DNA sequence: GTCTTGACGTTTA
DNA sequence: CTAAACGCCAAGA
């Protein structure tokens, strides 16, 4: 194995997509949490970058991924700003404007649920 | 090849 | 308490 500390066999991009697909129904997570799960807690921007590329990949519930405060930052990237809020409401999550209500209650931590 | 921008988060003033 | 700067890494111009 030539890979030494590269425990991330897949690229950061693919790992983010994997985690995004693993987000349970009715749950939400944050970019930082995913980055932390990947071992790059301070590289949260990379998660956003990966999600931007995720547009070409179907089956990526990006609407379940928000910033640390539960703010729908990338709502504009869904085509329709109401789209993301509508999807979250469909899962039983209250969304007012761009802010998720009870975000902490719906929060899903990959590092815990995936027990890495 | 260099500079700017970007779906964020943490730290310091 | 709020506001601003820094850090992180990659892609686009």
């Amino acid at each position: 194995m030539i890979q030494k500390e590269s425990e991330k066999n897949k690229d950061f991009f693919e790992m983010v997509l994997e985690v995004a697909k693993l987000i349970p129904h009715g749950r939400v997570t944050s970019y930082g949490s995913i980055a932390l799960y990947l071992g790059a807690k301070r590289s949260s921007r990379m998660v956003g970058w990966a999600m931007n590329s995720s547009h070409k990949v179907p089956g990526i519930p990006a609407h379940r991924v928000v910033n640390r405060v539960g703010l729908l930052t990338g709502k504009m990237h869904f085509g329709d700003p109401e789209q993301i809020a509508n999807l979250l409401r469909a899962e039983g999550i209250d969304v007012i404007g761009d802010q998720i209500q009870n975000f902490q209650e719906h929060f899903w931590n990959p590092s815990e649920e995936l027990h890495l």
Side-chain angles (χ1 to χ4, degrees):
Chain A
M1 297 295 276
I2 302 176
Q3 314 149 291
K4 22 186 158 188
E5 77 267 17
S6 300
E7 50 188 73
K8 344 186 244 292
N9 297 332
K10 301 183 179 203
D11 294 314
F12 200 92
F13 161 72
E14 291 189 32
M15 295 189 72
V16 173
L17 300 183
E18 288 292 310
V19 177
K21 291 178 183 175
L22 292 173
I23 299 174
H25 182 272
R27 287 279 205 258
V28 285
T29 188
S30 62
Y31 303 93
S33 298
I34 295 174
L36 182 64
Y37 171 71
L38 299 179
K41 63 179 182 181
R42 291 181 177 172
S43 301
S44 46
R45 302 179 109 169
M46 305 300 75
V47 179
W49 160 76
M51 297 306 281
N52 199 352
S53 298
S54 71
H55 269 293
K56 66 179 185 180
V57 182
I60 306 299
H63 61 274
R64 293 181 185 158
V65 184
V66 294
N67 63 0
R68 77 164 183 94
V69 295
L71 189 65
L72 309 181
T73 45
K75 65 176 184 146
M76 57 184 78
H77 294 280
F78 287 80
D80 292 329
E82 298 178 359
Q83 182 71 26
I84 180 167
N86 189 3
L87 290 169
L88 291 171
R89 288 176 185 171
E91 298 186 356
I93 300 174
D94 291 328
V95 180
I96 300 177
D98 299 338
Q99 178 64 52
I100 296 176
Q101 305 304 311
N102 305 324
F103 172 66
Q104 188 178 14
E105 182 179 335
H106 298 292
F107 185 76
W108 178 75
N109 192 328
S111 300
E112 293 181 1
E113 300 301 315
L114 299 179
H115 59 80
L116 177 59

